[in-house]
């Protein structure tokens, strides 16, 4: 699956990158290589192979150190303001983000 110049231009626009013609050529080559590796991986027969949660799980027992996914809301307006201090566009206590779906 080879990418076209239009694909690269669209990806650059969606990701907010400004690429000159040399950068577009390099990005296209690198992305084509990545897609080629993905095609090679997809060609491997993995039927009957049990998925692993960690790449070292095949060699040793791994205990994942995951914390509970519990929301921790800001307790005071000052804490909320501190969380939003570096946000580029906070609005009424929320993070504003650019639209990504056209």
């Amino acid at each position: 699956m080879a990418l076209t110049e239009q694909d690269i231009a669209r990806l650059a626009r969606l990701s907010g990158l400004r690429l000159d013609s040399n950068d577009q050529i390099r990005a296209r080559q690198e992305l084509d290589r990545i897609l080629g590796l993905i095609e090679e991986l997809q060609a491997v027969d993995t039927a009957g192979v049990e998925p692993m949660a960690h790449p070292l799980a095949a060699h040793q027992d791994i205990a994942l150190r995951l914390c509970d996914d519990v929301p921790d809301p800001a307790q005071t307006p000052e804490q909320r303001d501190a969380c939003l201090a570096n946000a580029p566009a906070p609005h009424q206590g929320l993070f504003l983000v650019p639209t990504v779906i056209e």
Side-chain angles (χ1 to χ4, degrees), residues 76-93:
T76 65
E78 291 80 20
Q79 287 176 325
R80 184 189 67 213
D81 292 341
C83 289
L84 293 170
N86 292 325
H91 179 69
Q92 297 178 348

Side-chain angles (χ1 to χ4, degrees), residues 47-74:
V49 176
E50 187 175 333
M52 296 183 291
H54 193 281
L56 293 177
H59 305 288
Q60 62 191 33
D61 289 333
I62 300 293
L64 298 178
R65 297 180 209 128
L66 303 175
C67 61
D68 292 333
D69 191 12
V70 178
D72 187 20

